[in-house]
């Protein structure tokens, strides 16, 4: 079980696999008013930076689940590096349908709403692991500027303009699902730069080390096209945020 290899290549040097920066991640932890002993479940936990840094800074305990063997290994190493391996555990596995045996105060699907087939299904899945009165975290893209055409939307790696909502419409959608939005932390363009541009040096170094790999041509194509595509489309049109929700 693993994610497509191209993501393990392009994001192998990332600690955070979305456009939020370490500073914004710290802001989110403080905004949630986390306390020592709070249990956090993170489905699609990547390289574990959220759980590890919050365990260090707030004393939380938690579990992360991710399909990437590489990212799960990196998460375990990060826990050791930050001295929190006794408080957080990382499971290499499929987060789809995962329900924790122990109820959490925070259940997160940050940039991973595919685990529930979309936002509504992911909220329902996370609730199954959540204690009464707990907080759901959803990380989701939204349109900063509404693309004028579907062609522009595809430049943002969406299929069509209808794939994402504007920020007001996204917040309204949470309300319609019966949730109160109790906090949000939004990525900025610097966060997008750190997420996207950091891939380019990783790809170049990988190509130098693996010129004959079967994916070398694909990686070369991405390295050639991604800077202009990103600057033209994603950086200008696409936002991303983490939204804290509580069921009414």
């Amino acid at each position: 079980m693993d994610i497509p290899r191209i993501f393990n290549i392009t994001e192998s040097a990332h600690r955070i696999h979305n456009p939020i920066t370490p500073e914004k991640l710290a802001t989110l932890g403080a905004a949630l008013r986390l306390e020592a002993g709070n249990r956090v479940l993170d489905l699609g936990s990547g390289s574990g930076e959220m759980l590890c840094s919050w365990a260090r800074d707030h004393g939380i305990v938690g579990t992360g689940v991710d399909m990437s063997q590489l990212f799960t290994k990196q998460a375990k190493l990060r826990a050791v590096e930050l001295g929190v391996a006794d408080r957080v555990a990382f499971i290499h596995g499929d987060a789809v349908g995962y329900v924790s045996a122990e109820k959490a105060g925070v259940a997160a699907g940050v940039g991973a709403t595919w685990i529930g087939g979309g936002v509504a299904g992911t909220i329902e899945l996370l609730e199954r692991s959540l204690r009464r009165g707990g907080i759901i975290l959803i990380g989701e893209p939204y349109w900063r500027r509404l693309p004028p055409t579907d062609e522009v939307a595809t430049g943002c790696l969406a299929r069509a303009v209808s794939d994402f909502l504007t920020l007001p419409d996204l917040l309204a959608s949470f309300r319609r699902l019966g949730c109160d939005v109790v906090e949000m932390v939004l990525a900025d363009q610097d966060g997008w730069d750190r997420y996207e541009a950091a891939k380019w040096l990783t790809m170049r170094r990988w190509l130098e080390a693996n010129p004959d790999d079967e994916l070398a041509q694909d990686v070369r194509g991405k390295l050639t096209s991604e800077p202009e595509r990103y600057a033209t489309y994603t950086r200008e049109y696409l936002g991303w945020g983490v939204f804290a929700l509580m069921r009414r």
Side-chain angles (χ1 to χ4, degrees), residues 150-161:
D150 283 341
E151 182 179 2
V152 173
T154 60
C156 299
L157 304 183
R159 294 166 297 180
V161 175

Side-chain angles (χ1 to χ4, degrees), residues 2 4 10 14 55 59 92 114 135 164:
D2 212 333
T10 60
H14 283 52
H92 171 238
W114 53 269
I135 292 175
F164 304 129

Side-chain angles (χ1 to χ4, degrees), residues 4 15 27 43 49 61 84 104 106 114 142 145 149 157-158 164 180-181 221:
R15 281 185 176 165
T27 296
L43 300 186
E49 192 67 12
V61 296
V84 296
V106 178
W114 53 269
Y142 61 88
R145 295 167 52 196
T149 65
L157 304 183
F164 304 129
D180 289 324
V181 181

Side-chain angles (χ1 to χ4, degrees), residues 21 28 53 55 75 92 124 126 141 151 154 183 205 207 210 218:
T21 60
L28 178 61
S53 62
H92 171 238
E124 290 179 4
L126 293 172
E151 182 179 2
T154 60
E183 258 295 356
R205 293 286 188 246
L207 283 168
N210 301 275
D218 291 343

Side-chain angles (χ1 to χ4, degrees), residues 2-13 68-71:
D2 212 333
I3 61 175
R5 186 168 170 242
I6 189 68
F7 297 111
N8 280 326
I9 292 171
T10 60
E11 299 190 24
S12 60
S68 170
Q69 295 185 52
L70 173 63
F71 298 166

Side-chain angles (χ1 to χ4, degrees), residues 52-76:
C52 290
S53 62
W54 287 358
R56 176 196 62 196
D57 297 340
H58 302 284
I60 63 101
V61 296
T63 301
V65 182
D66 200 272
M67 286 182 67
S68 170
Q69 295 185 52
L70 173 63
F71 298 166
T72 303
K73 178 181 178 181
Q74 290 176 337
K76 293 176 179 179

Side-chain angles (χ1 to χ4, degrees), residues 203-217:
M203 287 191 281
R204 177 56 190 261
R205 293 286 188 246
W206 185 89
L207 283 168
E208 291 170 352
N210 301 275
D212 299 320
D213 191 276
E214 62 181 3
L215 284 184
Q217 186 174 352

Side-chain angles (χ1 to χ4, degrees), residues 16-231:
I16 303 173
H17 302 276
N18 56 59
I20 200 168
T21 60
E23 294 77 16
K24 294 268 189 178
L25 200 58
T27 296
L28 178 61
L32 295 177
R33 307 171 194 177
L34 296 171
E35 297 179 352
N38 285 173
R39 180 166 296 279
V40 179
L41 174 68
D42 188 9
L43 300 186
S45 52
S47 295
E49 192 67 12
M50 186 173 81
L51 285 180
C52 290
S53 62
W54 287 358
R56 176 196 62 196
D57 297 340
H58 302 284
I60 63 101
V61 296
T63 301
V65 182
D66 200 272
M67 286 182 67
S68 170
Q69 295 185 52
L70 173 63
F71 298 166
T72 303
K73 178 181 178 181
Q74 290 176 337
K76 293 176 179 179
L77 291 173
R78 184 63 168 158
V80 172
E81 180 183 3
L82 296 187
V84 296
D86 60 331
R87 296 201 291 275
V88 293
F90 294 97
I91 299 168
H92 171 238
D94 191 350
V96 174
Y98 184 91
V99 177
S100 175
E102 197 165 356
K103 297 294 185 181
V106 178
V110 177
T113 53
W114 53 269
I115 62 177
V119 171
T122 300
I123 290 173
E124 290 179 4
L125 173 62
L126 293 172
E127 280 188 307
R128 295 168 63 188
S129 298
L130 196 67
R131 64 169 173 77
R132 185 175 179 83
I135 292 175
I136 296 166
L137 293 183
I138 295 289
E140 187 72 359
Y142 61 88
W143 293 122
R144 291 180 59 244
R145 295 167 52 196
L146 200 63
T149 65
D150 283 341
E151 182 179 2
V152 173
T154 60
C156 299
L157 304 183
R159 294 166 297 180
V161 175
S162 59
D163 273 9
F164 304 129
L165 302 171
T166 64
L167 181 57
D169 287 342
L170 179 58
L171 296 174
S173 75
F174 296 138
R175 171 179 53 79
R176 288 192 295 270
L177 290 170
C179 295
D180 289 324
V181 181
V182 297
E183 258 295 356
M184 68 179 188
V185 174
L186 305 181
D188 55 23
Q189 287 180 308
D190 180 62
W192 272 111
D193 291 347
R194 292 302 81 239
Y195 174 56
E196 294 288 350
K199 300 175 187 178
W200 306 338
L201 181 58
T202 299
M203 287 191 281
R204 177 56 190 261
R205 293 286 188 246
W206 185 89
L207 283 168
E208 291 170 352
N210 301 275
D212 299 320
D213 191 276
E214 62 181 3
L215 284 184
Q217 186 174 352
D218 291 343
V219 174
R220 164 44 63 189
K222 278 185 171 293
L223 180 56
T224 300
S225 64
E226 277 296 286
E228 292 174 43
R229 182 208 62 77
Y230 165 67

